[in-house]
Amino acid sequence: VHGCRRPPQACPLCRMKKTHARESWEFLFRKRWFRVTVDPIRDDQGAMIGAVHVMSDITARKEGEDALRAGESRYRGLVNLAVDGILTGSPEGIVTGANEVMCAITGMSRDRLVGKHISQLPFDRESLRRHPFRFDLLKKNQAVVRERTIVRPDGTRVEVEMRTKMMPDGTYQSIYRDVTERKAAEAKLRISEQHYRSIFESSQDAMMTISPPLWRFTSGNTAMARIFGARRVEDFFVHSPWALS
């Protein structure tokens, strides 16, 4: 069977003779995989008097394992190439995986993230208080989207949009998008709008806006109402400029 004068070092029969217990060996032979299992045969007193030698063709199983490893490798590659942070977790909420972007967002290594409960991640406590985790919605197969603040070990605050979905096997996957720049831009826009509104309202000149398709007034300041003798600015919203000329 072995194709040699002496049994190979991994021969399960030789090992069984020493251990007096089941031994097995998987090997490749003529492009096919086999598994040899050897069990001792004992007499009524427990003495070993022989062995059962079983050889099984496990090629299909090995090919399936190879395909699974290849698929997992491709998946890990795609996850690590993603532009967003990705976390995977157990049904109990324990982190089981994190990609490189997630490590960058949190400022923590993968080893420090994996094994923690999701609530132990460096979320700002106030953001958790406002928007607690909703495992109840996840169990109803609903996607949960929340905006949260992550505080890195160095104190840097990162605004993220967290999108979580429970997978068919009960595990979950969360995608974290860094929206810090977007939130900063929105804050600047609000400040600019407030500044514009202040100038708009305090101007002594009549100021108004008009919009298509009817080109009617859509907003105006108090000076507009005063100059045209109206009690409310809203009274102009049914008119177009030429109706007042």
Side-chain angles (χ1 to χ4, degrees):
V1 175
H2 297 305
C4 55
R5 292 184 179 182
R6 295 182 179 181
Q9 185 176 2
C11 175
L13 178 59
C14 296
R15 288 188 280 119
M16 188 275 296
K17 290 179 181 179
K18 296 179 180 179
T19 64
H20 292 196
R22 168 178 284 194
E23 296 289 346
S24 60
W25 179 36
E26 295 181 1
F27 63 95
L28 183 65
F29 180 67
R30 293 181 179 176
K31 297 183 179 182
R32 298 196 69 80
W33 280 94
F34 294 90
R35 177 184 176 87
V36 174
T37 303
V38 180
D39 287 287
I41 300 175
R42 304 180 186 277
D43 61 18
D44 294 340
Q45 285 71 44
M48 189 170 63
I49 59 174
V52 177
H53 190 286
V54 178
M55 186 168 71
S56 306
D57 187 334
I58 59 170
T59 305
R61 193 201 79 192
K62 297 291 284 187
E63 290 176 346
E65 290 173 351
D66 290 343
L68 180 61
R69 280 193 294 270
E72 290 176 343
S73 178
R74 287 194 296 271
Y75 171 76
R76 284 193 297 271
L78 289 173
V79 167
N80 280 323
L81 285 173
V83 297
D84 294 324
I86 298 177
L87 275 186
T88 56
S90 70
E92 297 74 29
I94 304 299
V95 177
T96 58
N99 69 347
E100 294 177 4
V101 176
M102 192 64 205
C103 294
I105 288 176
T106 59
M108 299 172 64
S109 67
R110 187 176 288 105
D111 290 341
R112 291 184 62 192
L113 290 171
V114 173
K116 291 183 181 294
H117 190 271
I118 186 67
S119 62
Q120 296 177 304
L121 267 59
F123 293 110
D124 175 73
R125 296 297 100 182
E126 178 61 22
S127 69
L128 283 184
R129 188 191 65 78
R130 291 196 310 268
H131 304 293
F133 295 110
R134 297 298 306 272
F135 288 100
D136 58 321
L137 297 181
L138 293 175
K139 291 177 180 178
K140 294 178 182 179
N141 202 34
Q142 296 184 31
V144 179
V145 181
R146 295 286 186 271
E147 289 189 353
R148 302 189 188 280
T149 303
I150 289 177
V151 184
R152 291 172 175 158
D154 64 1
T156 305
R157 300 173 69 86
V158 182
E159 304 292 331
V160 297
E161 180 185 79
M162 177 182 175
R163 185 180 298 269
T164 307
K165 177 75 173 177
M166 190 73 77
M167 298 294 104
D169 61 357
T171 61
Y172 72 84
Q173 178 173 293
S174 293
I175 298 176
Y176 291 73
R177 176 159 295 179
D178 186 340
V179 295
T180 306
E181 292 185 2
R182 190 196 78 191
K183 300 288 284 186
E186 289 174 352
K188 289 181 179 179
L189 180 60
R190 283 193 297 272
I191 293 173
S192 176
E193 289 177 343
Q194 291 170 0
H195 180 64
Y196 163 76
R197 175 57 61 181
S198 175
I199 295 175
F200 186 81
E201 292 295 343
S202 61
S203 175
Q204 296 302 307
D205 297 323
M207 301 181 70
M208 63 287 289
T209 61
I210 54 176
S211 299
L214 299 178
W215 295 103
R216 289 177 176 172
F217 295 110
T218 54
S219 69
N221 62 355
T222 54
M224 176 185 180
R226 175 175 52 79
I227 290 174
F228 285 97
R231 289 187 301 174
R232 300 185 312 150
V233 172
E234 290 77 7
D235 294 340
F236 289 93
F237 293 174
V238 295
H239 299 292
S240 55
W242 43 86
L244 302 178
S245 56

